[in-house]
Amino acid sequence: MGKQQAKQQFNQASFVQWASGIAFTFLIAYFGFLLTKLPGFSMVGQLASAIVIAIIYRQVFGYPEALRSGIAFSSKKLLRFAIILYGLKLNIGTVLTDGLGLLVRDAGVIIFAILATVWLAKKLKANPTISMLLGVGTGVCGAAAIAAVAPIIKSKDEDTAISVGIIALVGTIFAITYTLLRPILPLTDIEYGIWAGVSIHEVAQVVLAAASGGEEALAFALLAKLGRVFLLIPLCFIFMYWMKRKSTDDSGSAKIEFPWFLVGFILMSIFGSFVLGHSIPVTGETLNSISTATTWILTAAMVGLGLNVSLGDLRKKALKPLIAMVTVSILVSVLTFFIV
């Protein structure tokens, strides 16, 4: 009886630590949300703000070891759940009916961004994993793309967090720059929207930049951006094949864990595109609530990753990949400007 009670108490204590760890990541996500209420930080966004707070917390107070199980759950399980929910943002029907012409440009942007970032990073002797993730984030859809590809290429948590932080901050700067340039650009509203959609990193950043061009600009920007999100699916399978070949060449055996969350992402995309709002009625308010919940879950997951980042690693690993990523982002903006 004594052993059973001790085991029960141990399980209860473990559960409390696990739940407290998850709650802790959401608490920092909330602080990130509050930070966006301050002047200037609204442009940065909750995700980047929360990651910065998490990294600062780690440097000042150290890693909260007692909460490790819950924090790890957020950074791994909740991260995959957020990616699955993110599938609702992808309307496959819209992409296939209205955006096929844009898909070619989207594919070109993705290929160029990844290859150019990796090539430049190699020349700079930058961290290869962070550079690869930044190339994916630049080419596809920012943090969500990084989060989807990271487990496939076996990225360390700290490398994933650094990549997400960089992509969120730099992408925001680009979105604000686009907004400032809009009045002097020789582009129609539709052309401006397409330009923003094929070249800016995050979906939220595309919205921020395209809104200054009006409703038509925003509609075409989101259509172009949806195409890039759509291409995340085949890109993940390409990375799986690449990792399998790499593993076989290195060790003679391929042990690549299949990313089942990607199946969830695809199924959720199909559900959101052809069932939700068709066979199942849903209000815009409900969809907005789901989108908000997705953002919160993704932010909490990224907080878990951010708590693994040491300031020494950030200084040592981030600068050269950042230079490569900013250079390629500028090139993407300039090149896509001439093909819209």
Side-chain angles (χ1 to χ4, degrees), residues 246-263:
K246 183 179 177 184
S247 177
T248 303
D249 293 340
D250 291 344
S251 62
S253 61
K255 296 179 180 178
I256 305 300
E257 183 182 350
F258 186 82
W260 290 105
F261 66 90
L262 184 60
V263 176

Side-chain angles (χ1 to χ4, degrees), residues 75-96:
S75 65
K76 291 180 170 60
K77 304 297 183 184
L78 285 187
L79 179 59
R80 285 156 175 73
F81 181 57
I83 295 300
I84 291 171
L85 287 180
Y86 195 85
L88 286 175
K89 295 179 181 288
L90 172 59
N91 191 311
I92 296 174
T94 301
V95 173
L96 295 179

Side-chain angles (χ1 to χ4, degrees), residues 43-44 47-48 143 163-173 202 205:
M43 297 290 189
V44 176
L47 185 63
S163 302
V164 168
I166 290 174
I167 207 81
L169 291 171
V170 174
T172 300
I173 293 172
E202 301 264 3
Q205 294 159 359

Side-chain angles (χ1 to χ4, degrees), residues 134-203:
L134 288 176
V136 170
T138 301
V140 189
C141 54
I146 289 173
V149 169
I152 297 175
I153 66 172
K154 300 186 182 300
S155 168
K156 296 178 181 177
D157 286 352
E158 61 186 37
D159 291 347
T160 305
I162 290 171
S163 302
V164 168
I166 290 174
I167 207 81
L169 291 171
V170 174
T172 300
I173 293 172
F174 269 72
I176 295 171
T177 302
Y178 275 44
T179 302
L180 296 175
L181 290 175
R182 173 65 191 120
I184 61 173
L185 292 174
L187 298 175
T188 65
D189 289 345
I190 291 176
E191 289 172 340
Y192 173 73
I194 292 173
W195 181 49
V198 298
S199 61
I200 294 181
H201 313 82
E202 301 264 3
V203 174

Side-chain angles (χ1 to χ4, degrees), residues 44-157:
V44 176
Q46 180 183 5
L47 185 63
S49 298
I51 288 178
V52 170
I53 293 173
I55 293 174
I56 292 173
Y57 181 94
R58 162 71 186 272
Q59 314 318 310
V60 177
F61 301 105
Y63 189 92
E65 288 292 341
L67 307 178
R68 180 175 287 277
S69 61
I71 293 172
F73 181 87
S74 287
S75 65
K76 291 180 170 60
K77 304 297 183 184
L78 285 187
L79 179 59
R80 285 156 175 73
F81 181 57
I83 295 300
I84 291 171
L85 287 180
Y86 195 85
L88 286 175
K89 295 179 181 288
L90 172 59
N91 191 311
I92 296 174
T94 301
V95 173
L96 295 179
T97 55
D98 301 325
L100 281 177
L102 291 173
L103 271 178
V104 177
R105 280 178 260 193
D106 289 333
V109 167
I110 293 172
I111 294 170
F112 174 79
I114 294 174
L115 295 182
T117 304
V118 170
W119 177 82
L120 187 54
K122 192 173 182 180
K123 294 294 182 183
L124 295 172
K125 295 186 168 120
N127 181 284
T129 302
I130 295 176
S131 302
M132 177 66 79
L133 291 176
L134 288 176
V136 170
T138 301
V140 189
C141 54
I146 289 173
V149 169
I152 297 175
I153 66 172
K154 300 186 182 300
S155 168
K156 296 178 181 177
D157 286 352

